[in-house]
Amino acid sequence: MPTLLRLDASIRTEGSRSRALADLVEAEWLAGHPGGTVRRRDLVADAIPADAWHLAVTAGWTPEEQRSDEQRAAVSLSARLVDEMAEADAILVAAPLYNFGPSLHVKTWMDTAIADPRLAPGAEPLLAGKPAVLATVRGGGYAEGTPRHGWDHSTPFLRRILGDVWGLDLAVVEEELTLAEVTPAMAGLLDLANAGRAAAEQVARDHGRELASALQRA
Amino acid sequence: MPTLLRLDASIRTEGSRSRALADLVEAEWLAGHPGGTVRRRDLVADAIPADAWHLAVTAGWTPEEQRSDEQRAAVSLSARLVDEMAEADAILVAAPLYNFGPSLHVKTWMDTAIADPRLAPGAEPLLAGKPAVLATVRGGGYAEGTPRHGWDHSTPFLRRILGDVWGLDLAVVEEELTLAEVTPAMAGLLDLANAGRAAAEQVARDHGRELASALQRA
């Protein structure tokens, strides 16, 4: 049975827009693969410890028999994160922009995975061409011509690792102004936010269908 | 006595270039302030827990008397991080580029600090104009015209938060090609790396002196 690996990084469980967009992608993927398996990793509820990455890296500098128990556990977690991606037929990452940068939980996941020798620079490509979707959301507006244009330092970085470094066949769905409905000062942006939401939901469904058919073609 | 707050994010203790540059900044600052206090926070050895930020954020959505012990501890850590910056006369951040993005330890520190209401958007500027130095290093080469140009997704983000968001009076010292001396494939870049190192060390000393005199003027 085909498997979709889904990773969530929103600190909200209720009202999370990145989770909502990912739900749409997932539903379309499942519609294309009735009975398919969705394997989930919630990067917030089941957070990767802050020290896993550097313990896994320093373990790589240490002869195996001299590694501490903490280093062994970190190496094993690092391998598990890569196994999850390697075993999946498709990957879905849902990650909001937080404080103008990448989610700390996503960076911690990426770093810890990259510590595995299979994702080291120069290793045989392990994930190249695997279909993937990134669902990302921004509370404010970052469009060209607005004061915050260029302040999203997350999406270009996530594209870099998922697309350029890991070589995933990546589609991205983005929604912004997600805080308009709960922020009085953004009331004037509500129509724009709602239009953007409807468009993003359509893109999410399209990407979900493509994710399912990309797998069928593989 | 004046205080310098120093934060380190290198996962190396020996051979760390970001720590070496920060040592030069610190030495010049101390030369300008004999007997001054250097308050240190090692963001790797004494890592901020992965869940501190979202616990502090969700605590902000929860009436004080209903907060869990974990939420209270996170709020208190968040406040402590901001106190450290508010109380310092100057701030020094040493952070390498890791996997083309910001150090997870630095992002965790920033997010957890920003959870404090004093750093919330719209709050009275708390840190504006405080002198600061960022010492950052990159293992490879990212200069214009090289294949990795544009792949440093850390430095622009760190400048954004430290400079644009917090309003620190920020000077930046950067060194790259730091892996040339230990990477056989980079042997041809060793002369360039060494020249870059000497230049970066000079800039670090200059920024250290400016950091000390900026304080004297304040």
Side-chain angles (χ1 to χ4, degrees):
Chain A
M1 264 299 149
T3 299
L4 171 69
L5 172 65
R6 172 171 172 176
L7 302 115
D8 280 280
S10 174
I11 59 171
R12 287 180 190 269
T13 43
E14 313 238 328
S16 159
R17 287 303 304 157
S18 64
R19 291 182 194 265
L21 291 176
D23 287 345
L24 295 173
V25 175
E26 178 186 322
E28 293 294 336
W29 185 87
L30 276 170
H33 298 283
T37 301
V38 181
R39 189 170 180 177
R40 298 168 200 282
R41 178 175 282 279
D42 189 315
L43 295 169
V44 178
D46 183 20
I48 294 169
D51 58 1
W53 166 60
H54 80 270
L55 284 169
V57 170
T58 58
W61 305 335
T62 309
E64 208 164 327
E65 66 281 3
Q66 291 173 26
R67 290 178 187 167
S68 68
D69 289 347
E70 289 75 16
Q71 284 177 319
R72 283 175 218 278
V75 166
S76 144
L77 173 57
S78 171
R80 193 156 70 246
L81 299 179
V82 177
D83 287 344
E84 287 174 0
M85 288 193 275
E87 289 162 11
D89 298 287
I91 299 175
L92 169 58
V93 178
L97 173 69
Y98 281 127
N99 294 325
F100 309 114
S103 146
L104 76 91
H105 297 94
V106 171
K107 184 57 162 53
T108 302
W109 168 69
M110 287 177 161
D111 283 346
T112 307
I114 291 171
D116 186 278
R118 289 170 292 171
L119 292 188
E124 195 82 7
L126 182 76
L127 306 174
K130 195 179 289 266
V133 171
L134 166 65
T136 192
V137 303
R138 295 179 283 271
Y142 295 78
E144 214 164 327
T146 67
R148 289 285 181 270
H149 181 61
W151 285 50
D152 172 0
H153 296 278
S154 169
T155 312
F157 167 71
L158 299 182
R159 284 178 178 273
R160 186 71 73 192
I161 297 295
L162 298 172
D164 298 330
V165 177
W166 291 349
L168 298 172
D169 183 9
L170 185 70
V172 181
V173 50
E174 306 177 63
E175 180 183 334
E176 57 176 37
L177 298 171
T178 60
L179 292 176
E181 65 184 351
V182 294
T183 308
M186 293 174 74
L189 296 166
L190 206 48
D191 285 350
L192 193 61
N194 287 335
R197 170 163 307 185
E201 290 180 345
Q202 191 51 53
V203 171
R205 286 189 202 96
D206 294 345
H207 284 348
R209 270 193 300 277
E210 290 152 15
L211 197 65
S213 58
L215 174 68
Q216 287 164 349
R217 278 199 304 273
Chain B
M1 265 298 149
T3 298
L4 171 69
L5 172 65
R6 172 170 172 176
L7 302 115
D8 280 279
S10 173
I11 59 170
R12 289 181 189 269
T13 40
E14 312 239 331
S16 158
R17 286 304 303 158
S18 65
R19 290 182 196 265
L21 290 177
D23 286 346
L24 295 174
V25 175
E26 178 186 322
E28 293 293 338
W29 185 86
L30 276 171
H33 298 283
T37 300
V38 181
R39 189 169 179 176
R40 298 167 201 282
R41 178 175 282 278
D42 189 314
L43 295 169
V44 178
D46 183 20
I48 294 168
D51 58 2
W53 167 60
H54 80 269
L55 284 168
V57 170
T58 59
W61 304 334
T62 309
E64 207 164 327
E65 67 282 4
Q66 291 173 27
R67 291 178 187 168
S68 68
D69 288 347
E70 289 75 15
Q71 284 177 320
R72 283 174 218 277
V75 166
S76 143
L77 173 57
S78 171
R80 193 155 69 247
L81 299 179
V82 177
D83 287 344
E84 287 173 1
M85 288 193 276
E87 291 162 11
D89 298 286
I91 298 175
L92 169 58
V93 178
L97 173 69
Y98 282 127
N99 295 323
F100 309 115
S103 146
L104 76 90
H105 296 94
V106 171
K107 185 59 161 56
T108 303
W109 167 68
M110 286 176 162
D111 283 347
T112 307
I114 291 170
D116 186 278
R118 288 170 293 171
L119 292 188
E124 195 81 9
L126 183 74
L127 306 173
K130 195 180 289 265
V133 171
L134 166 65
T136 191
V137 303
R138 297 180 282 270
Y142 296 78
E144 212 164 329
T146 67
R148 290 285 180 272
H149 182 60
W151 285 51
D152 172 0
H153 296 278
S154 169
T155 313
F157 166 71
L158 299 182
R159 283 179 179 272
R160 186 72 73 193
I161 298 295
L162 299 171
D164 297 331
V165 177
W166 291 349
L168 298 172
D169 182 8
L170 185 70
V172 181
V173 51
E174 306 179 63
E175 181 182 332
E176 57 177 36
L177 299 170
T178 60
L179 292 176
E181 64 184 351
V182 294
T183 308
M186 293 175 75
L189 296 166
L190 206 48
D191 285 351
L192 195 59
N194 287 336
R197 171 164 306 185
E201 291 180 345
Q202 191 51 53
V203 171
R205 286 189 203 96
D206 292 346
H207 285 347
R209 269 192 301 275
E210 289 151 18
L211 197 64
S213 60
L215 174 68
Q216 288 164 348
R217 277 199 303 274

